[in-house]
């Protein structure tokens, strides 16, 4: 009987560690999202304050207003300061549907990038949160 108890305890510990690891990976706010979005005016090609983007509408080459512009956080891209011009070749106006690794939904952070511009990998806290296809990413 002692072998059975030890095996059962080992399985329980293994499952507990697996569940804890998956929960930690899903809820850790320090994880780098795969995409970060800046609020832009496509007509002037300038970055605007994040508060101007009130929803997740996508820009399809026509229409006026402010839209989120999604940039990959990997690859060393730079974001412009508010009022500065952005490079349309560095991202997309449509919400990325797949992860950069090609598996599952991507993690997206809307807002929170330095208003003075700089490294896209530097995302400050207090933006609009990260999401994965409309969810909390975990």
């Amino acid at each position: 009987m002692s072998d059975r108890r030890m095996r059962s305890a080992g399985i329980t510990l293994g499952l507990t560690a697996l569940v804890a690891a998956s929960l930690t990976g899903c809820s850790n706010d320090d994880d780098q999202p795969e995409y970060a979005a800046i609020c832009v005016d496509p007509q002037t090609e300038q970055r605007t304050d994040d508060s101007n983007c009130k929803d997740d509408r996508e820009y399809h080459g026509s229409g006026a207003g402010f839209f989120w512009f999604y940039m990959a956080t990997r690859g060393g891209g730079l974001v412009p300061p508010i009022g500065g011009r952005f490079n349309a070749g560095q991202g997309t106006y449509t919400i990325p549907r797949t992860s950069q690794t090609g598996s599952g939904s991507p993690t997206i952070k809307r807002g929170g990038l330095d208003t003075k511009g700089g490294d896209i990998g530097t995302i400050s806290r207090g933006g609009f949160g990260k999401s994965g296809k409309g969810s909390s990413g975990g």
Side-chain angles (χ1 to χ4, degrees):
M1 264 196 160
S2 64
D3 287 339
R4 180 181 269 174
R5 283 187 202 163
M6 287 177 45
R7 193 173 346 148
S8 177
I11 291 171
T12 302
L13 285 174
L15 287 174
T16 302
L18 181 64
V19 169
S22 68
L23 289 175
T24 301
C26 191
S27 63
N28 188 351
D29 286 340
D30 291 332
D31 288 347
Q32 180 72 20
E34 293 176 281
Y35 294 91
I38 56 173
C39 186
V40 301
D41 179 349
Q43 304 303 317
T44 63
E45 296 186 344
Q46 290 183 325
R47 180 180 176 195
T48 68
D49 191 80
D50 292 338
S51 64
N52 289 327
C53 288
K54 308 232 184 307
D55 55 35
D56 296 342
R57 290 180 308 141
E58 294 184 4
Y59 177 72
H60 295 287
S62 63
F66 301 105
F67 299 88
W68 290 112
F69 183 73
Y70 301 92
M71 303 174 74
T73 56
R74 297 179 183 136
L78 298 176
V79 295
I82 290 182
R85 292 183 66 136
F86 63 95
N87 179 353
Q90 284 187 303
T92 177
Y93 289 108
T94 58
I95 298 170
R97 305 288 185 220
T98 58
S99 171
Q100 289 175 355
T101 61
S103 61
S105 299
T107 52
I108 300 169
K109 169 121 173 129
R110 290 176 183 87
L113 294 171
D114 193 339
T115 58
K116 295 176 184 153
D119 183 5
I120 194 170
T122 307
I123 298 174
S124 64
R125 293 185 180 271
F128 290 98
K130 73 178 182 180
S131 68
K133 211 172 190 175
S135 71
S136 63

